[in-house]
């Protein structure tokens, strides 16, 4: 039997869970970020209804990402969470606000506006915190022994603020293209318009992060530009350019579905870029995936569950999306 | 040195605070999900409209409670890393997989089918919709299975070894999952969830019966809830007794704290009915005790000897007063539930179930009893486990993150402010939903389009708010 490197298998599983989280909760966090741009109550109702049946499932991937990290790479979890203490707490509090807003804003007439603000503020805060956390991980974390050894403000740097802003733009673009797909009439036109602006902003953000990242560590530079690595890494920016062209075209032609899925492809490429930069570290420059890996029997025990359950989960999640397919119509809700 | 100790206390306070908030919602939604499945099954089987009315009525309440459970649960799952990173590193290989299985088998099941359950009746038809309801209900029970397995392992660890990095690893997963206290804890908690929900359902029914005893919906829900109290409260007391015996076997020090047994009793321990445990003096002040009853309850023999905390090093004592009192509060609530069940049975056989105002007022007053009992029981078992996170093996002080006290203090303050703001609003909305009786043609959130109004069109929402004022 060929020996399987469980640490690599699990790195892919965790990366997959986090990616699914990013794209699925990404668009519904993006809707929250766009909320102030749609001041009409009816528009807001439609926007919320477009994700109301599925947001719980989207957010469960975040729990899997965190729980899976603790189970498969406990050392990385134990080092990263204290290092990202403030952004993590901010993200959780943001998610509390926006999560309850889904239920609460329908329960009140008088203070509905407050829950709209909570939905927007919570979504923005959670997104910003996630982006900042990403930047903080990329720039490196002080580790001594099996502990985080930095201060509780290390996460805050110009680079992490850049990645925070970039993620806000990215999620907003996902949200806007989701609306293009799920709505009609004036609301969809508005979403098209926003998609244009946000796409340009996102390309700027991808560029800025891509330029800044190699300056953080010499390893990142070598990974991307040294020969022969460049043969493997060059397709990523080339694909980004190709997807961008397709995305611009689909927006120009006012397609319904393409903008959203092409934006997802942009996210996938950016995510792959991050993976290329970080590998084989799970805590950059400090802890590799093998050093952080849980004992083999923990990883094997969970592998059985993942192999059977993830396809099942993807299956019934797809079914739930299928049940609520099509455009959200504000009027037909009151039959 | 002192600063590190401070951060641990703050992290404990934060865990206790967020956990106390969180546990209320799963306790309610486990029971309510099963109740909804029963209501929909009855509707499908009998076709009686009252059942679908009740289903739609409680579905809206479930949606709000479930949402609060989800968001407070996400906080819990990350708190292990933020505040208890040393614990996560050492224990992650054992309890991490259990929690990952909870996510994979339970959370996704609940969340995946929740949307269809809330909004999909028109889209998928009654049978597939019932399947979704059933999946959500099963999901809540699977979730209880894994999280109680993880918690029980921390209380009564078995099947593990320790590796060179000082991490706990599983030597035998079956022994880890089915550890000695797990079956008792699972049964006790699930029954507690069912009772908690029954008491809320019964109180809402009683509230509306007090206003109009002829309403069909409230009569049905009140009757169902009182059956639950009548049948399950005695079972829960037996289950609790068995759990206590199990705790005596595996965590005797916790029992000593629950009973206030500072001293050993060679020929039969008393039961303290009242007393103020005095930890520093190592005695119970102002004690009112029944001789030998403690031994009779715990060992089922009045003269059985009982060891006390005087046989345990002081640094391994849990906080006795908290454990002692929270245990008594839980038991007291259980006795009141038993009384409610018996009283309702008496009224039922006399044909006065819907007419006894005294019973209805009693049932209404018991609305929070389940929550109080769950919280008190949780405090008993968790504080009684101190000063360990993994009983006897890993100390709480060695489990915390290397954080500065101000970081933990500020996050604690943020949690307190946010939780009070958010959950106060949630409770107000829940009470508002419960204040209106279920009416014929109760609209469910089952439109053609997923309108998250849960059936409250703007007009109906105004009516609900009007009724609340």
């Amino acid at each position: 039997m060929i020996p399987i490197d469980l640490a690599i298998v699990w790195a892919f599983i965790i990366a997959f869970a986090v990616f699914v989280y990013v794209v699925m909760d990404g668009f519904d966090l993006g809707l929250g970020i766009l909320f102030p741009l749609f001041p009409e109550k009816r528009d807001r109702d439609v926007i919320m209804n477009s994700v109301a049946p599925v947001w719980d499932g989207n957010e469960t991937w975040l729990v899997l990402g965190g729980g899976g990290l603790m189970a498969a790479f406990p050392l990385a979890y134990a080092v990263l969470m204290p290092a990202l203490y403030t952004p993590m707490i901010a993200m959780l509090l943001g998610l509390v606000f926006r999560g309850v807003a889904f239920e609460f804003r329908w329960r009140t007439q008088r203070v509905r506006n407050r829950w709209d603000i909570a939905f927007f503020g919570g979504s923005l805060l959670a997104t910003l915190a996630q982006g900042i956390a990403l930047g903080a991980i990329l720039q490196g974390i002080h580790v001594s022994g099996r502990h985080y050894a930095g201060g509780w403000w290390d996460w805050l740097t110009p680079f992490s603020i850049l990645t925070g802003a970039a993620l806000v733009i990215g999620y907003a673009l996902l949200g806007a293209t989701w609306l293009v797909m799920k709505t009609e009439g004036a609301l969809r036109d508005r979403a098209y318009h926003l998609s244009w602006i946000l796409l340009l902003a996102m390309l700027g953000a991808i560029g800025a992060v891509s330029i800044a990242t190699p300056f953080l560590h010499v390893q990142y530079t070598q990974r991307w530009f040294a020969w022969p690595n460049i043969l493997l890494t060059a397709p990523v920016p080339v694909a980004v350019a190709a997807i961008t062209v397709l995305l611009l075209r689909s927006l120009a032609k006012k397609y319904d579905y393409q903008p959203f899925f092409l934006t997802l492809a942009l996210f996938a490429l950016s995510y792959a870029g991050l993976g290329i930069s970080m590998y084989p570290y799970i805590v950059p420059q400090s802890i590799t995936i093998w050093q952080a890996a849980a004992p083999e029997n923990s990883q094997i025990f969970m592998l059985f569950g993942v192999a059977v359950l993830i396809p099942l989960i993807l299956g019934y999640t797809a079914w739930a999306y299928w049940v609520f397919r099509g455009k959200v119509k504000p009027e037909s809700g009151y039959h | 040195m002192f600063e590190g100790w401070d951060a641990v206390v703050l992290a404990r306070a934060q865990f206790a605070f967020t956990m106390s908030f969180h546990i209320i919602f799963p306790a309610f939604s486990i029971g309510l999900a099963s109740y909804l499945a029963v209501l929909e099954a009855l509707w499908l089987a009998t076709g009686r409209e009252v059942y679908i009315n009740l289903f739609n009525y409680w579905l809206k309440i479930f949606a709000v409670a479930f949402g609060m459970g989800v968001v407070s649960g996400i906080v819990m799952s990350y708190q292990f890393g933020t505040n208890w990173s040393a614990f996560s590193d050492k224990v992650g290989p054992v309890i991490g997989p259990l929690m990952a299985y909870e996510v994979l088998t339970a959370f996704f099941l609940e969340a995946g089918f929740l949307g269809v359950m809330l909004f999909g009746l028109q889209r998928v038809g009654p049978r597939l919709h019932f399947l979704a309801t059933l999946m959500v209900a099963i999901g809540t029970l699977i979730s209880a299975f894994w999280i109680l397995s993880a918690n029980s392992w921390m209380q009564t660890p078995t099947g593990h070894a320790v590796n060179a990095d000082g991490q706990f690893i599983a030597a035998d997963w079956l022994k880890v999952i089915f550890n000695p206290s797990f079956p008792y804890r699972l049964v006790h908690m699930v029954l507690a969830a069912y009772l908690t929900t029954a008491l809320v359902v019964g109180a809402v029914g009683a509230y509306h019966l007090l206003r109009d005893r002829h309403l069909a919906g409230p009569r049905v829900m009140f009757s169902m809830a009182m059956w639950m109290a009548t049948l399950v409260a005695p079972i829960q007391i037996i289950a609790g007794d068995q759990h206590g015996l199990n705790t005596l076997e595996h965590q005797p020090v916790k029992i000593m704290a629950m009973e206030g047994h500072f001293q050993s009793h060679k020929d039969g321990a008393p039961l303290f009915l009242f007393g103020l445990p005095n930890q520093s003096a190592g005695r119970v002040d102002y004690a009112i005790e029944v001789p030998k009853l403690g031994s009779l309850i715990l060992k089922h023999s009045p003269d059985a000897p009982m060891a006390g905390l005087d046989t345990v090093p002081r640094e391994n004592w849990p906080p006795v007063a908290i454990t002692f009192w929270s245990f008594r509060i839980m038991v007291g609530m259980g006795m009141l539930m038993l009384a409610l069940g018996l009283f309702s049975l008496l009224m039922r056989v006399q044909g006065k179930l819907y007419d006894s105002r005294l019973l209805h007022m009693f049932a209404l007053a018991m609305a929070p009893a389940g929550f109080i009992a769950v919280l008190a029981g949780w405090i008993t078992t968790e504080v009684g486990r101190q000063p360990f996170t993994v009983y006897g093996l890993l100390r709480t002080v060695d489990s915390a993150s290397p954080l500065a006290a101000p970081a933990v203090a500020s996050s604690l303050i943020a949690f307190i402010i946010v939780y009070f703001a958010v959950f106060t609003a949630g409770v107000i909305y829940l009470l508002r939903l419960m204040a209106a009786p279920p009416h014929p043609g109760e609209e469910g959130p089952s439109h053609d389009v997923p309108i998250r109004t849960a059936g409250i069109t703007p007009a109906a929402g105004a009516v609900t708010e009007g009724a609340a004022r």
Side-chain angles (χ1 to χ4, degrees):
Chain A
M1 202 177 121
I2 304 161
I4 299 168
D5 191 333
L6 283 170
I8 291 198
V9 171
W10 271 100
F12 270 103
I13 293 169
I14 302 293
F16 176 75
V18 172
F19 180 68
V20 176
Y21 169 74
V22 165
V23 298
M24 304 237 299
D25 212 29
F27 75 77
D28 66 48
L29 283 164
L31 297 181
I33 295 166
L34 296 174
F35 235 44
L37 303 174
F38 295 91
E40 294 278 317
K41 179 188 161 294
R42 168 169 295 181
D43 287 349
R44 290 184 173 182
D45 289 357
V46 172
I47 291 172
M48 216 133 184
N49 283 331
S50 74
V51 288
V54 291
W55 77 272
D56 286 310
N58 296 350
E59 220 153 270
T60 306
W61 290 93
L62 180 67
V63 184
L64 182 64
L69 188 65
M70 175 178 173
F73 300 100
L75 179 60
Y77 184 74
V79 168
L80 289 174
M81 289 301 142
L84 305 172
Y85 193 76
T86 309
M88 282 295 134
I89 302 283
M91 175 189 83
L92 295 172
L93 294 175
L95 292 178
V96 167
F97 272 116
R98 76 179 284 280
V100 299
F102 273 103
E103 289 299 332
F104 289 2
R105 74 183 289 277
W106 305 104
R107 309 279 163 212
T108 173
Q109 299 289 321
R110 273 175 304 139
V111 297
R112 166 176 298 218
N113 200 35
R114 274 188 224 165
W115 293 115
D116 285 355
I117 294 169
F119 186 58
F120 161 68
S123 302
L124 181 68
L125 183 63
T127 305
L128 203 56
Q130 287 172 10
I132 286 175
L134 172 67
I137 291 173
L138 278 177
Q139 74 198 9
I141 281 164
H142 294 289
V143 180
S144 125
R146 298 179 75 83
H147 296 290
Y148 171 60
W152 61 295
W153 287 96
D154 287 12
W155 51 272
L156 188 65
T157 61
F159 181 74
S160 69
I161 289 174
L162 172 65
T163 53
L167 199 67
V168 171
I169 294 166
Y171 280 1
L173 176 62
L174 271 176
T177 52
W178 169 263
L179 286 179
V180 166
M181 184 166 74
K182 295 294 281 187
T183 65
E184 295 179 322
L187 179 51
R188 185 181 55 173
D189 293 341
R190 191 83 197 275
Y192 268 122
H193 186 64
L194 284 170
S195 300
W196 274 109
I197 299 169
L198 288 166
L199 174 59
L200 296 177
M202 174 148 170
L203 292 173
I206 291 177
V209 174
S210 302
I211 289 167
T213 305
F215 289 103
L216 291 173
H217 288 287
V218 68
Q219 286 92 334
Y220 292 154
T221 322
Q222 284 173 350
R223 174 60 48 77
W224 281 94
F225 300 113
W227 187 264
N229 286 352
I230 198 162
L231 287 179
L232 294 168
T233 55
V236 175
V238 171
V240 168
I243 297 287
T244 304
V245 171
L246 288 174
L247 192 46
L248 289 167
R249 180 173 155 272
S250 71
L251 283 176
K253 298 209 167 186
K254 296 213 166 192
Y255 287 140
D256 271 359
Y257 289 82
Q258 280 195 11
F260 180 69
F261 289 103
L262 289 169
T263 307
L264 288 189
L266 267 189
F267 263 86
L269 287 168
S270 306
Y271 195 74
L274 289 173
I276 290 170
S277 296
M278 276 176 67
Y279 181 86
Y281 290 99
I282 194 163
V283 179
Q285 321 308 328
S286 302
I287 300 172
T288 66
I289 53 179
W290 297 283
Q291 288 166 334
E296 201 168 70
N297 80 338
S298 296
Q299 297 197 325
I300 290 173
F301 174 59
M302 282 189 300
L303 208 52
F304 286 112
V306 165
V308 175
L309 293 163
I310 296 264
L312 198 65
I313 290 162
L314 291 173
Y316 61 66
T317 304
W319 178 68
Y321 272 81
W322 175 251
V323 167
F324 298 103
R325 69 191 175 278
K327 301 275 186 185
V328 186
K329 298 185 182 74
E331 311 304 336
S332 58
Y334 305 112
H335 279 163
Chain B
M1 186 67 207
F2 183 72
E3 205 184 0
W5 178 85
D6 227 13
V8 174
V9 170
L10 288 163
R12 285 179 63 186
Q14 186 168 322
F15 196 87
F17 177 78
T18 49
M19 186 66 204
S20 304
F21 263 92
H22 174 65
I23 197 171
I24 285 174
F25 299 106
F28 188 42
S29 50
I30 290 170
L32 207 47
S34 293
Y35 183 53
L36 286 168
V38 169
L39 285 172
E40 193 170 16
L42 286 170
W43 174 61
L44 288 172
T46 67
R48 283 183 62 196
E49 205 203 325
V50 68
Y51 290 121
I52 191 69
N53 287 340
L54 283 180
F55 176 86
N56 285 329
Y57 180 81
W58 285 104
L59 187 59
K60 292 172 228 166
I61 291 162
F62 177 78
V64 175
F66 190 86
M68 290 194 279
V70 167
V71 296
S72 56
I74 294 173
V75 172
M76 299 313 304
S77 69
Y78 276 83
Q79 208 164 68
F80 287 109
T82 50
N83 284 349
W84 302 99
S85 64
F87 170 85
S88 300
D89 178 27
K90 289 172 186 153
V91 184
V94 175
I95 69 163
L98 303 184
M99 297 204 294
Y101 266 102
E102 183 186 18
V103 181
L104 290 168
T105 58
F107 291 168
F108 276 114
L109 199 65
E110 294 171 46
F113 286 95
L114 182 73
V116 176
M117 181 195 187
L118 290 177
F119 310 113
L121 184 55
Q122 308 280 322
R123 286 188 171 231
V124 300
R127 283 177 192 283
L128 262 184
H129 185 263
F130 177 59
L131 178 79
T133 308
L134 211 54
M135 287 299 129
V136 172
I138 291 171
T140 62
L141 293 172
I142 297 174
S143 172
F145 176 93
W146 289 111
I147 200 67
L148 283 164
S149 174
N151 179 271
S152 298
W153 182 82
M154 288 157 64
Q155 305 267 2
T156 55
T158 49
H160 58 274
V162 177
N163 72 7
D165 291 325
Q167 291 175 310
F168 289 88
I169 58 170
D172 181 341
W173 280 107
L174 282 177
K175 280 190 180 163
V176 168
I177 296 167
F178 297 98
N179 60 75
S181 66
F182 168 58
Y184 299 92
R185 225 176 278 279
L186 179 66
V187 169
H188 202 45
M189 182 68 207
V190 171
L191 291 179
Y194 281 177
L195 274 173
T196 299
T197 306
L199 291 171
V200 173
V201 172
V204 172
Y207 173 75
H208 295 299
L209 288 176
L210 282 167
R211 295 173 144 196
D212 178 355
R213 69 185 66 169
H214 302 294
L215 289 171
R219 286 169 81 111
V220 170
M221 63 168 119
F222 185 69
S223 174
M224 290 174 87
M226 288 304 110
W227 271 126
M228 187 67 125
T230 306
L231 298 174
V232 175
I235 297 173
Q236 177 70 313
I237 290 169
I238 295 167
D241 177 59
Q242 294 298 310
H243 184 24
L245 296 182
N246 178 268
T247 306
L248 180 65
E249 188 183 341
H250 295 281
Q251 296 179 292
V253 179
K254 185 190 283 184
I255 293 286
M256 293 169 197
M258 284 158 65
E259 298 293 337
H261 286 164
F262 287 101
Q263 277 92 34
S264 299
H265 299 271
K266 286 193 175 60
D267 45 0
L271 180 77
F272 292 107
L273 296 176
F274 179 85
L276 300 176
N278 185 333
Q279 185 125 358
S280 52
R283 62 164 189 270
V284 178
D285 296 335
Y286 310 107
I288 301 171
E289 56 186 77
V290 182
K292 310 218 181 241
L293 188 57
S295 284
L296 186 65
I297 291 172
L298 285 163
K299 299 227 165 152
H300 296 185
S301 153
D303 295 318
M306 297 282 300
L309 287 166
D310 52 9
T311 62
V312 178
R314 248 180 199 264
E315 69 267 20
N316 290 353
W317 286 16
V320 177
I322 299 172
T323 317
F324 180 89
W325 274 108
S326 60
F327 176 62
R328 269 149 192 74
I329 290 168
M330 176 188 76
V331 171
M333 290 297 137
M335 293 300 155
L336 286 172
M337 291 175 208
L338 180 70
L340 178 65
L342 293 176
F343 186 21
S344 75
L345 187 65
L346 184 69
M347 290 297 109
R348 196 188 293 271
V349 296
Q350 291 183 0
K352 292 193 290 193
L353 189 66
Y354 307 117
D355 303 311
S356 168
R357 294 186 68 81
L358 188 62
L359 174 64
H360 298 163
M361 285 193 285
F362 185 18
L364 182 56
M366 287 291 282
F371 297 115
I372 295 169
V374 165
L375 272 178
W378 179 76
I379 289 167
T380 304
T381 201
E382 297 303 305
V383 175
R385 168 207 8 202
Q386 296 300 327
F388 297 101
T389 47
V390 179
Y391 195 66
L393 299 174
L394 181 63
R395 284 182 174 270
T396 308
V397 287
D398 299 324
S399 303
S401 298
L403 288 165
V408 192
S410 39
S411 67
L412 175 61
I413 291 166
F415 274 116
I416 290 173
I417 293 169
V418 168
Y419 273 37
F420 272 111
V422 166
F423 294 114
T424 305
V427 169
I428 289 171
Y429 298 141
L430 283 174
L431 291 176
R432 206 181 269 174
L433 283 168
M434 292 173 183
H439 45 80
E442 179 82 27
E443 261 187 282
S446 52
H447 298 275
D448 188 35
V449 165
I451 290 291
R452 193 71 169 195
T453 54
I456 299 186
T457 59
V463 170
T464 318
E465 285 200 65
R469 269 183 221 121

